[in-house]
Amino acid sequence: MSQSPWFQYGTSLREAVICTGYKTEQLKDHLARDASRVDITISVEKTPLGTAGAIKKAAKTIKDDSFVVMNGDVITDINIKKMLGTANSVAAVPLRTKFGIMDVNNDMIVRFREKKEIPDLWMNAGIYHLQKSAVRDLPAKGDIEKTFFPKYAKAGRLAVVKFKEARWYSIDSFKDAEECSAHIEKMGL
């Protein structure tokens, strides 16, 4: 693998747990062919558990006092090492709209701006640094964003680590994958 800026922070990854419930056999077949130096454990959900339940189940295999969770549909250059000093934290990136923004005055468009960053609004980047002790507070079923995070935020136990200049893509469709690929190509990465 080349050492482009997209991979410069991943030098210390030794172990990974992949949560899966969909196309598990294809994933296992692919990983069996990969000669990676990363020790990979597969945590299989027989029925959908949601993000919180999947993390709770997978955490049973984790020996360290803390761990990083990353959603599988994210491509980013976020420096995860910056999160390791902040317990129970969520990576945040500035909210960017996928749509054109119009400035309007008296029913007339005065300016049109494409895909603008919205100032002072931060978005969950789908990357979390959690303490192993917090796992007991995760529900066995449910989404972490709807169950655990609101509870921890209300109790003042959830931190944020902001990444203002990060490149971040959520790949939810073929179009998203094409846009991300085109951007990476354009930047020569």
Side-chain angles (χ1 to χ4, degrees), residues 14-172:
R14 294 179 311 275
E15 298 176 54
V17 179
I18 298 176
C19 301
T20 181
Y22 177 70
K23 297 196 176 192
T24 301
E25 292 309 312
Q26 287 179 324
L27 177 64
K28 285 180 179 179
D29 288 346
H30 176 77
L31 292 173
R33 293 188 305 269
D34 183 14
S36 175
R37 290 178 274 158
V38 177
D39 182 22
I40 297 173
T41 302
I42 306 285
S43 177
V44 181
E45 299 173 52
K46 295 193 187 308
T47 61
L49 301 175
T51 51
I55 294 166
K56 186 174 190 95
K57 182 178 186 313
K60 292 174 185 173
T61 67
I62 296 171
K63 299 169 199 80
D64 295 330
D65 292 335
S66 70
F67 56 96
V68 174
V69 175
M70 183 172 179
N71 290 352
D73 61 353
V74 169
I75 296 175
T76 186
D77 66 349
I78 283 177
N79 183 349
I80 293 171
K81 287 181 182 178
K82 288 183 180 179
M83 297 184 70
L84 298 181
T86 308
N88 298 320
S89 59
V90 175
V93 293
L95 181 62
R96 295 176 186 101
T97 177
K98 292 183 175 187
F99 308 102
I101 302 292
M102 298 181 299
D103 294 333
V104 178
N105 187 7
N106 295 328
D107 297 328
M108 294 299 294
I109 298 172
V110 293
R111 184 170 46 174
F112 198 90
R113 295 178 280 165
E114 277 298 313
K115 299 181 183 178
K116 182 176 178 359
E117 185 176 289
I118 302 170
D120 301 321
L121 285 180
W122 294 89
M123 183 175 69
N124 174 357
I127 303 172
Y128 321 121
H129 176 232
L130 300 176
Q131 298 305 116
K132 182 79 181 260
S133 59
V135 172
R136 70 177 177 271
D137 296 328
L138 289 170
K141 222 174 188 180
D143 292 325
I144 196 168
E145 300 86 358
K146 295 176 184 171
T147 58
F148 176 84
F149 287 162
K151 179 178 157 184
Y152 262 51
K154 187 174 183 179
R157 297 174 66 192
L158 190 63
V160 66
V161 179
K162 295 177 180 176
F163 295 91
K164 180 137 178 72
E165 303 299 323
R167 291 173 287 216
W168 181 91
Y169 300 90
S170 176
I171 308 300
D172 299 320

